[in-house]
Amino acid sequence: MSGAVSASEALLGAVRAGRMGEAAGLLDGMTDVERRACLPALKDLRKELRAAPWDAASRKAYPALHAAGAACHTGAAGTATWLTAADLRWSQASPGVLLHVLGDRERDWLGDVAHRLAERPPLAQVPYELMSGLVRLSGCPVPTTETYVVGWIEQVGSLWQRGDTILQRLRQDPYTAELVAAVFEIPDIGSRLDWLFGDGPDSWFNALARLTREGALDRKATVDACVARLLRGGVPSDCRVFLRLLTALELTRDEERERAADWLALASDAVSTVASHAQSVLGSLALDGELTPGQLAEMSGGVLFRTEKKLVRAQLVLLGKALRCDPSSAAELLPAVAQAFGHEDTDVQERALKLVERHLDAAPPEVRGEVVDAAEELSPGLRVRAAETLGLEGADRVPEPYVELLPPAPEPARVPPAPDSAVELAEEVGALLASGGDVAAFERTLDGLVRHGYRDRDALAEALKPVVTRLWWVDADPRYPSVEKYFRTDPHGLEVVLATLLGQVSTATLHRADQHGPMTDPCVHSAVAAAFNARLWEAAHRLSTDPLPFLLATPTWGSGLLEPDELVARLDEYRRLGARPGETDFAQALLRVRRDDGAASAAAAERATALGTAEGNRLALWLTTDGPSLPWSSRRTSGVRILLELGELDGVPGEFPPAFQRIGRPVSLFKARAYCAHYWDRAERHHWLAVVPGRRELVAARLLRELSSVAVEGTRGDASVLPLLAEAPGEAGEAVHLGVAYGLGARHPEDRLSAVDALLVLAAQGQLDTERLGADLGQLMRRGAVKPLRLAESVRTAATTGAYATVWEILRAALPVLLADLATDGAAASARGFGELLAVAAECAERTGARGCMAHLAQAADRRGSSRLVTQARRLRATLDHGVAA
């Protein structure tokens, strides 16, 4: 035993000193008993190094520890676990050293370790040299896991280390056939291999194709595996890699013909690049007479319903060639062509209609009837043409008048009362913290915290503890000022109230925040944000000093509006309880109280005067005088942007707290910071509308730079406020319409959908000024802030909901701006996508039966060529000249 102890001590000393050669020499010839005796000391050293600082001494010891620990494990599982441990990963022993200290084991044991290492995930970063060396020493079957196969590919591709080629390496490797076959079975391997496979004569693709020609790889199995992998689909990189390999294999006509069913499936369902390849193979077979008309019709049924216009047009060209080669195939192919009548692109519809017109005479009567029925799916303009050429029934009947379909205008929703029990309230707090909430949920929860804090603060704090455990400040060390600083600069929504209830923030900090707040921030958002924050700080401060029985400013409606009789009743209850209203809370209540009903306001003012309190008198005066009117606004340009500046808001009482006085100050875009904390934090923006309900222009103007960024800079998510702006009460003026215009040209689809929602809501409420919005869009496209292609996608989405007339009125005002540039300069700076925009306008005009003229449209329609811009300009002109209604 003493010999074992001395060996252990010697090995530990060598490992601790980082003497790898000495440690390896001590391990040579050790018995299993001696190895097991050394292991506990090595594990203790590992724990010690894990807690030690990452310095030169520990870095020196780690490689020797990695090798010694692996060698002293006598079980294959323990060795594999030690070799792949996360704390040893960044300073491992070299594969050569590991193979040396492990190489004297039994062959089966080495093979077991090799396979266990190969089964580790790629993130374990097991060196391929170690795995392949163990396979070589053991003579075991080669592993075919992702870790091993990817390591093999990386090793073979390391041409900078040797002068030979990938093809030569693959020829020399005895396991090439097994490992190549495994490549096709590993999920999502394309993302790992796309950059490794490369291009050129010495690429993997050419090497594998050469090996199949030489017979080193089974050609049929390789081709079948490649096609099967493409049929499986997956991430784009997977499809890209295996399509390039399939192309490099250069299939013969016999190989293509026997896989016709696979090409049909790929043409219908695969990603665009793969479908295009399958389409070209099938097209070649069809034109050589090796594809039946039925198979071509089946193929067309899948391809013509795809969204890629290039594939659809190529399919129609193929069908036209097939019909010319064999006119007798019209019976089977024309119904397939007619499926394109329902395509969203009218160019595709027109191509299909021309094809049908050219070959319909050769079709039997029953096919003619089928094609005529399908013609009902054509756009209105093409349907009129089809009625003349195909003999549709009722071609001369008067079309039904167009009816606009808009979504129902949103109804105002009442804010429900706060929960009666502290436990229920705590559950709602947890839900609000986890996923956020709208104005109604936030306001009722805030009111609930104030009410229950007034009734029984201890019971409320006990109920809240389980739902706030994940908030970082709950267990913060009170000796550090981080919590105080956190809540001094920002209330962080409900958090400041929760921290107050749990005793995690001092009354002194709350007092300073309540009295002053961060009033020096010059950003355009700070005025509304300061008012929102001031009420939260006040509520928290009063909980610590003089709890409020409830909040006066809790709105009646989800929009933030407060009914005057409800505020009078609350002031009456305050009077009965002898409670002192919060200055900020009462100011917010005045801003929220609804005053658009003169009779209700006068009656409420009379009752408020009868209370005999200062707040009652202030409310009565507020209800019987005109409120602050919207300030003047002026447009300013900043680069490609069009932004707004606001003048001073008149009518804000001087007795309002300082935070609310700031709401009335002018908004100057060039004196305020463009970017601030509010620019990155969107969590509280939807509450700002409830700070000044009925005055959404004030909020929209302050958010206009962020809204412009979704189009100009391609930011994501800022347009989510647009539906809220559309639903909010008050006038929808320049700021709201400019915000919607930017949203319609947003880069990201979800932002464009938000803008479409806002547009439809404004239209449903009768508050959408289509002339103004169209003019804004025209100017923004001219300046390059909004791209026509993005706008075309947005307005097409809006139109397909049934708002064709609304979209037409918008485009009627927007298009002449670009058409004028086109007529003047010969080419518009923003011409890309202009044809798509004209296509949407033409469809809307056809469906609504619009007539008249559009400035500069004739010049665009008279241009030479058959580009999409020109063809759609001609289509729109013809519609406006003759009028078509759905």
Side-chain angles (χ1 to χ4, degrees), residues 820-835:
D821 289 346
L822 198 65
T824 303
D825 304 329
S830 54
R832 184 175 180 273
F834 194 9

Side-chain angles (χ1 to χ4, degrees), residues 55 76 164 280 374 393 432 442 535 553 616 632 665 684 694 729 737 755 780 786 830 871 880:
D55 54 13
D164 53 2
S280 66
E393 292 183 6
L432 207 59
F442 180 88
R535 184 160 165 258
W632 58 263
R665 294 179 185 174
E684 294 176 358
H737 282 78
L780 291 174
V786 168
S830 54
T871 57
L880 295 178

Side-chain angles (χ1 to χ4, degrees), residues 693-708:
R695 301 173 182 85
R696 54 181 161 183
E697 280 288 293
L698 295 179
V699 178
R702 287 174 166 83
L703 292 176
L704 206 50
R705 181 172 286 275
E706 285 79 13
L707 291 172
S708 68

Side-chain angles (χ1 to χ4, degrees), residues 426-438:
E427 291 176 354
E428 297 204 4
V429 169
L432 207 59
L433 292 175
S435 58
D438 56 14

Side-chain angles (χ1 to χ4, degrees), residues 651-676:
V652 178
E655 62 269 22
F656 268 27
F660 284 82
Q661 288 288 341
R662 298 182 66 188
I663 294 174
R665 294 179 185 174
V667 176
S668 174
L669 298 173
F670 303 103
K671 293 182 180 178
R673 287 207 314 268
Y675 302 102
C676 59

